[in-house]
Amino acid sequence: MSRAKGFAFALGSVALVSGAQLGMRWSMTRLPAPDQWLSALSAGNVDLAALALVIAAIGAYALSMLCWLLALRDLPLGRAYSLLSISYALVYLLAASLPLFNEPFTLSKSLGVALVILGVITINSRSAPATSPRNTP
């Protein structure tokens, strides 16, 4: 594997976890509290599409973890971990820009997102060592 594949897997993890967060947010605004799901299901008062999206989001989290593990094979932990913070920015920007989430843009949140992105760029702009030490038998 290569560093490029490591970045691709890390960004895949970011995309999956961001999609999962947005899907869960949308779903949970349409579902009763989780402790009421069984009674609501038996009464037929559950939005099945929202429930299916919660289940899909959990699957996206599992795939995100797989991508994360694959990314760690080729990226230094500090670099890989910084890339995960892109999901915070992505979730905020999508939630604030898509009308179905009804989240407002604010100056303080936008400034925070800009600082996160600046940090990710700063951490990842330095060249990495050509090889990383690994435990080999």
Side-chain angles (χ1 to χ4, degrees), residues 53-77:
L53 189 54
V54 167
I55 293 167
I58 292 168
Y61 272 117
L63 288 174
S64 171
M65 184 57 66
L66 178 61
C67 285
W68 176 244
L69 292 172
L70 292 170
L72 289 178
R73 290 177 58 187
D74 294 304
L75 294 178
L77 182 60

PDB file of all heavy atoms in Angstrom, residues 53-77:
ATOM      1  N   LEU A  53     -32.665   4.401   7.803  1.00  0.00           N
ATOM      2  CA  LEU A  53     -31.489   5.259   7.671  1.00  0.00           C
ATOM      3  C   LEU A  53     -30.610   5.189   8.915  1.00  0.00           C
ATOM      4  O   LEU A  53     -29.379   5.234   8.803  1.00  0.00           O
ATOM      5  CB  LEU A  53     -31.902   6.702   7.380  1.00  0.00           C
ATOM      6  CG  LEU A  53     -30.767   7.646   6.999  1.00  0.00           C
ATOM      7  CD1 LEU A  53     -29.948   7.107   5.832  1.00  0.00           C
ATOM      8  CD2 LEU A  53     -31.315   9.014   6.662  1.00  0.00           C
ATOM      9  N   VAL A  54     -31.191   5.035  10.096  1.00  0.00           N
ATOM     10  CA  VAL A  54     -30.391   4.848  11.311  1.00  0.00           C
ATOM     11  C   VAL A  54     -29.564   3.573  11.185  1.00  0.00           C
ATOM     12  O   VAL A  54     -28.370   3.558  11.480  1.00  0.00           O
ATOM     13  CB  VAL A  54     -31.284   4.802  12.571  1.00  0.00           C
ATOM     14  CG1 VAL A  54     -30.504   4.289  13.778  1.00  0.00           C
ATOM     15  CG2 VAL A  54     -31.862   6.166  12.880  1.00  0.00           C
ATOM     16  N   ILE A  55     -30.190   2.508  10.714  1.00  0.00           N
ATOM     17  CA  ILE A  55     -29.484   1.236  10.547  1.00  0.00           C
ATOM     18  C   ILE A  55     -28.383   1.372   9.492  1.00  0.00           C
ATOM     19  O   ILE A  55     -27.255   0.885   9.678  1.00  0.00           O
ATOM     20  CB  ILE A  55     -30.485   0.116  10.204  1.00  0.00           C
ATOM     21  CG1 ILE A  55     -31.400  -0.126  11.408  1.00  0.00           C
ATOM     22  CG2 ILE A  55     -29.764  -1.160   9.786  1.00  0.00           C
ATOM     23  CD1 ILE A  55     -32.617  -0.959  11.110  1.00  0.00           C
ATOM     24  N   ALA A  56     -28.672   2.060   8.399  1.00  0.00           N
ATOM     25  CA  ALA A  56     -27.659   2.289   7.362  1.00  0.00           C
ATOM     26  C   ALA A  56     -26.511   3.131   7.909  1.00  0.00           C
ATOM     27  O   ALA A  56     -25.338   2.891   7.570  1.00  0.00           O
ATOM     28  CB  ALA A  56     -28.294   2.967   6.151  1.00  0.00           C
ATOM     29  N   ALA A  57     -26.816   4.108   8.741  1.00  0.00           N
ATOM     30  CA  ALA A  57     -25.774   4.960   9.322  1.00  0.00           C
ATOM     31  C   ALA A  57     -24.862   4.147  10.235  1.00  0.00           C
ATOM     32  O   ALA A  57     -23.648   4.360  10.261  1.00  0.00           O
ATOM     33  CB  ALA A  57     -26.404   6.120  10.084  1.00  0.00           C
ATOM     34  N   ILE A  58     -25.432   3.206  10.975  1.00  0.00           N
ATOM     35  CA  ILE A  58     -24.609   2.329  11.816  1.00  0.00           C
ATOM     36  C   ILE A  58     -23.681   1.496  10.931  1.00  0.00           C
ATOM     37  O   ILE A  58     -22.505   1.307  11.247  1.00  0.00           O
ATOM     38  CB  ILE A  58     -25.497   1.461  12.725  1.00  0.00           C
ATOM     39  CG1 ILE A  58     -26.188   2.357  13.761  1.00  0.00           C
ATOM     40  CG2 ILE A  58     -24.680   0.367  13.412  1.00  0.00           C
ATOM     41  CD1 ILE A  58     -27.298   1.674  14.535  1.00  0.00           C
ATOM     42  N   GLY A  59     -24.197   1.027   9.801  1.00  0.00           N
ATOM     43  CA  GLY A  59     -23.356   0.309   8.844  1.00  0.00           C
ATOM     44  C   GLY A  59     -22.255   1.194   8.282  1.00  0.00           C
ATOM     45  O   GLY A  59     -21.117   0.744   8.090  1.00  0.00           O
ATOM     46  N   ALA A  60     -22.581   2.461   8.024  1.00  0.00           N
ATOM     47  CA  ALA A  60     -21.579   3.399   7.527  1.00  0.00           C
ATOM     48  C   ALA A  60     -20.480   3.613   8.565  1.00  0.00           C
ATOM     49  O   ALA A  60     -19.297   3.738   8.210  1.00  0.00           O
ATOM     50  CB  ALA A  60     -22.230   4.733   7.151  1.00  0.00           C
ATOM     51  N   TYR A  61     -20.855   3.648   9.853  1.00  0.00           N
ATOM     52  CA  TYR A  61     -19.842   3.742  10.903  1.00  0.00           C
ATOM     53  C   TYR A  61     -18.910   2.531  10.875  1.00  0.00           C
ATOM     54  O   TYR A  61     -17.697   2.670  11.027  1.00  0.00           O
ATOM     55  CB  TYR A  61     -20.495   3.838  12.283  1.00  0.00           C
ATOM     56  CG  TYR A  61     -20.822   5.232  12.713  1.00  0.00           C
ATOM     57  CD1 TYR A  61     -22.124   5.626  12.943  1.00  0.00           C
ATOM     58  CD2 TYR A  61     -19.816   6.177  12.906  1.00  0.00           C
ATOM     59  CE1 TYR A  61     -22.432   6.905  13.340  1.00  0.00           C
ATOM     60  CE2 TYR A  61     -20.107   7.461  13.300  1.00  0.00           C
ATOM     61  CZ  TYR A  61     -21.415   7.826  13.524  1.00  0.00           C
ATOM     62  OH  TYR A  61     -21.712   9.091  13.911  1.00  0.00           O
ATOM     63  N   ALA A  62     -19.468   1.345  10.673  1.00  0.00           N
ATOM     64  CA  ALA A  62     -18.645   0.133  10.619  1.00  0.00           C
ATOM     65  C   ALA A  62     -17.681   0.197   9.424  1.00  0.00           C
ATOM     66  O   ALA A  62     -16.488  -0.109   9.567  1.00  0.00           O
ATOM     67  CB  ALA A  62     -19.534  -1.102  10.532  1.00  0.00           C
ATOM     68  N   LEU A  63     -18.170   0.602   8.260  1.00  0.00           N
ATOM     69  CA  LEU A  63     -17.295   0.747   7.095  1.00  0.00           C
ATOM     70  C   LEU A  63     -16.249   1.835   7.318  1.00  0.00           C
ATOM     71  O   LEU A  63     -15.107   1.713   6.864  1.00  0.00           O
ATOM     72  CB  LEU A  63     -18.123   1.053   5.849  1.00  0.00           C
ATOM     73  CG  LEU A  63     -18.943  -0.109   5.293  1.00  0.00           C
ATOM     74  CD1 LEU A  63     -19.828   0.381   4.145  1.00  0.00           C
ATOM     75  CD2 LEU A  63     -18.035  -1.229   4.838  1.00  0.00           C
ATOM     76  N   SER A  64     -16.647   2.878   8.008  1.00  0.00           N
ATOM     77  CA  SER A  64     -15.710   3.955   8.327  1.00  0.00           C
ATOM     78  C   SER A  64     -14.561   3.425   9.181  1.00  0.00           C
ATOM     79  O   SER A  64     -13.401   3.787   8.955  1.00  0.00           O
ATOM     80  CB  SER A  64     -16.446   5.078   9.058  1.00  0.00           C
ATOM     81  OG  SER A  64     -15.535   6.031   9.547  1.00  0.00           O
ATOM     82  N   MET A  65     -14.882   2.564  10.132  1.00  0.00           N
ATOM     83  CA  MET A  65     -13.834   1.993  10.978  1.00  0.00           C
ATOM     84  C   MET A  65     -12.898   1.116  10.155  1.00  0.00           C
ATOM     85  O   MET A  65     -11.678   1.137  10.346  1.00  0.00           O
ATOM     86  CB  MET A  65     -14.458   1.182  12.112  1.00  0.00           C
ATOM     87  CG  MET A  65     -13.451   0.625  13.084  1.00  0.00           C
ATOM     88  SD  MET A  65     -12.389   1.857  13.868  1.00  0.00           S
ATOM     89  CE  MET A  65     -13.562   2.765  14.827  1.00  0.00           C
ATOM     90  N   LEU A  66     -13.439   0.367   9.215  1.00  0.00           N
ATOM     91  CA  LEU A  66     -12.598  -0.449   8.337  1.00  0.00           C
ATOM     92  C   LEU A  66     -11.659   0.439   7.517  1.00  0.00           C
ATOM     93  O   LEU A  66     -10.458   0.168   7.411  1.00  0.00           O
ATOM     94  CB  LEU A  66     -13.463  -1.309   7.417  1.00  0.00           C
ATOM     95  CG  LEU A  66     -12.707  -2.179   6.422  1.00  0.00           C
ATOM     96  CD1 LEU A  66     -11.803  -3.187   7.132  1.00  0.00           C
ATOM     97  CD2 LEU A  66     -13.697  -2.890   5.505  1.00  0.00           C
ATOM     98  N   CYS A  67     -12.201   1.519   6.956  1.00  0.00           N
ATOM     99  CA  CYS A  67     -11.357   2.465   6.197  1.00  0.00           C
ATOM    100  C   CYS A  67     -10.278   3.055   7.091  1.00  0.00           C
ATOM    101  O   CYS A  67      -9.126   3.212   6.678  1.00  0.00           O
ATOM    102  CB  CYS A  67     -12.215   3.583   5.604  1.00  0.00           C
ATOM    103  SG  CYS A  67     -13.199   3.095   4.189  1.00  0.00           S
ATOM    104  N   TRP A  68     -10.646   3.377   8.334  1.00  0.00           N
ATOM    105  CA  TRP A  68      -9.700   3.958   9.281  1.00  0.00           C
ATOM    106  C   TRP A  68      -8.558   2.985   9.564  1.00  0.00           C
ATOM    107  O   TRP A  68      -7.385   3.360   9.562  1.00  0.00           O
ATOM    108  CB  TRP A  68     -10.436   4.337  10.565  1.00  0.00           C
ATOM    109  CG  TRP A  68      -9.556   4.855  11.644  1.00  0.00           C
ATOM    110  CD1 TRP A  68      -9.334   4.279  12.856  1.00  0.00           C
ATOM    111  CD2 TRP A  68      -8.776   6.045  11.635  1.00  0.00           C
ATOM    112  NE1 TRP A  68      -8.461   5.032  13.585  1.00  0.00           N
ATOM    113  CE2 TRP A  68      -8.108   6.121  12.864  1.00  0.00           C
ATOM    114  CE3 TRP A  68      -8.576   7.047  10.693  1.00  0.00           C
ATOM    115  CZ2 TRP A  68      -7.250   7.168  13.176  1.00  0.00           C
ATOM    116  CZ3 TRP A  68      -7.721   8.101  11.012  1.00  0.00           C
ATOM    117  CH2 TRP A  68      -7.077   8.145  12.243  1.00  0.00           C
ATOM    118  N   LEU A  69      -8.890   1.727   9.784  1.00  0.00           N
ATOM    119  CA  LEU A  69      -7.854   0.729  10.040  1.00  0.00           C
ATOM    120  C   LEU A  69      -6.922   0.585   8.842  1.00  0.00           C
ATOM    121  O   LEU A  69      -5.702   0.468   9.006  1.00  0.00           O
ATOM    122  CB  LEU A  69      -8.499  -0.613  10.393  1.00  0.00           C
ATOM    123  CG  LEU A  69      -9.238  -0.649  11.725  1.00  0.00           C
ATOM    124  CD1 LEU A  69      -9.990  -1.962  11.875  1.00  0.00           C
ATOM    125  CD2 LEU A  69      -8.303  -0.411  12.889  1.00  0.00           C
ATOM    126  N   LEU A  70      -7.473   0.608   7.648  1.00  0.00           N
ATOM    127  CA  LEU A  70      -6.642   0.519   6.441  1.00  0.00           C
ATOM    128  C   LEU A  70      -5.781   1.767   6.272  1.00  0.00           C
ATOM    129  O   LEU A  70      -4.630   1.676   5.818  1.00  0.00           O
ATOM    130  CB  LEU A  70      -7.523   0.283   5.218  1.00  0.00           C
ATOM    131  CG  LEU A  70      -8.199  -1.100   5.179  1.00  0.00           C
ATOM    132  CD1 LEU A  70      -9.231  -1.150   4.064  1.00  0.00           C
ATOM    133  CD2 LEU A  70      -7.175  -2.205   5.044  1.00  0.00           C
ATOM    134  N   ALA A  71      -6.306   2.921   6.633  1.00  0.00           N
ATOM    135  CA  ALA A  71      -5.517   4.158   6.545  1.00  0.00           C
ATOM    136  C   ALA A  71      -4.325   4.115   7.496  1.00  0.00           C
ATOM    137  O   ALA A  71      -3.227   4.580   7.155  1.00  0.00           O
ATOM    138  CB  ALA A  71      -6.396   5.365   6.852  1.00  0.00           C
ATOM    139  N   LEU A  72      -4.523   3.532   8.669  1.00  0.00           N
ATOM    140  CA  LEU A  72      -3.446   3.490   9.663  1.00  0.00           C
ATOM    141  C   LEU A  72      -2.289   2.600   9.239  1.00  0.00           C
ATOM    142  O   LEU A  72      -1.191   2.703   9.794  1.00  0.00           O
ATOM    143  CB  LEU A  72      -3.988   3.026  11.014  1.00  0.00           C
ATOM    144  CG  LEU A  72      -4.874   4.033  11.731  1.00  0.00           C
ATOM    145  CD1 LEU A  72      -5.388   3.444  13.029  1.00  0.00           C
ATOM    146  CD2 LEU A  72      -4.140   5.344  11.977  1.00  0.00           C
ATOM    147  N   ARG A  73      -2.508   1.738   8.263  1.00  0.00           N
ATOM    148  CA  ARG A  73      -1.420   0.901   7.768  1.00  0.00           C
ATOM    149  C   ARG A  73      -0.351   1.737   7.076  1.00  0.00           C
ATOM    150  O   ARG A  73       0.821   1.366   7.071  1.00  0.00           O
ATOM    151  CB  ARG A  73      -1.952  -0.142   6.790  1.00  0.00           C
ATOM    152  CG  ARG A  73      -2.793  -1.201   7.457  1.00  0.00           C
ATOM    153  CD  ARG A  73      -3.367  -2.163   6.480  1.00  0.00           C
ATOM    154  NE  ARG A  73      -2.287  -2.813   5.725  1.00  0.00           N
ATOM    155  CZ  ARG A  73      -2.491  -3.605   4.701  1.00  0.00           C
ATOM    156  NH1 ARG A  73      -3.714  -3.843   4.290  1.00  0.00           N
ATOM    157  NH2 ARG A  73      -1.488  -4.170   4.074  1.00  0.00           N
ATOM    158  N   ASP A  74      -0.739   2.864   6.477  1.00  0.00           N
ATOM    159  CA  ASP A  74       0.189   3.622   5.641  1.00  0.00           C
ATOM    160  C   ASP A  74       0.424   5.068   6.064  1.00  0.00           C
ATOM    161  O   ASP A  74       1.274   5.724   5.493  1.00  0.00           O
ATOM    162  CB  ASP A  74      -0.318   3.618   4.195  1.00  0.00           C
ATOM    163  CG  ASP A  74      -0.285   2.231   3.616  1.00  0.00           C
ATOM    164  OD1 ASP A  74       0.792   1.618   3.616  1.00  0.00           O
ATOM    165  OD2 ASP A  74      -1.347   1.738   3.190  1.00  0.00           O
ATOM    166  N   LEU A  75      -0.335   5.556   7.011  1.00  0.00           N
ATOM    167  CA  LEU A  75      -0.161   6.945   7.440  1.00  0.00           C
ATOM    168  C   LEU A  75       0.296   7.002   8.884  1.00  0.00           C
ATOM    169  O   LEU A  75      -0.172   6.208   9.709  1.00  0.00           O
ATOM    170  CB  LEU A  75      -1.484   7.714   7.320  1.00  0.00           C
ATOM    171  CG  LEU A  75      -2.041   7.943   5.925  1.00  0.00           C
ATOM    172  CD1 LEU A  75      -3.384   8.670   6.023  1.00  0.00           C
ATOM    173  CD2 LEU A  75      -1.072   8.740   5.077  1.00  0.00           C
ATOM    174  N   PRO A  76       1.166   7.940   9.214  1.00  0.00           N
ATOM    175  CA  PRO A  76       1.493   8.151  10.622  1.00  0.00           C
ATOM    176  C   PRO A  76       0.226   8.559  11.378  1.00  0.00           C
ATOM    177  O   PRO A  76      -0.645   9.243  10.832  1.00  0.00           O
ATOM    178  CB  PRO A  76       2.502   9.305  10.598  1.00  0.00           C
ATOM    179  CG  PRO A  76       2.996   9.376   9.188  1.00  0.00           C
ATOM    180  CD  PRO A  76       1.909   8.839   8.328  1.00  0.00           C
ATOM    181  N   LEU A  77       0.113   8.136  12.610  1.00  0.00           N
ATOM    182  CA  LEU A  77      -1.098   8.378  13.386  1.00  0.00           C
ATOM    183  C   LEU A  77      -1.436   9.862  13.485  1.00  0.00           C
ATOM    184  O   LEU A  77      -2.599  10.256  13.340  1.00  0.00           O
ATOM    185  CB  LEU A  77      -0.965   7.776  14.788  1.00  0.00           C
ATOM    186  CG  LEU A  77      -2.185   7.921  15.687  1.00  0.00           C
ATOM    187  CD1 LEU A  77      -3.399   7.245  15.065  1.00  0.00           C
ATOM    188  CD2 LEU A  77      -1.895   7.341  17.058  1.00  0.00           C
TER     189      LEU A  77
END
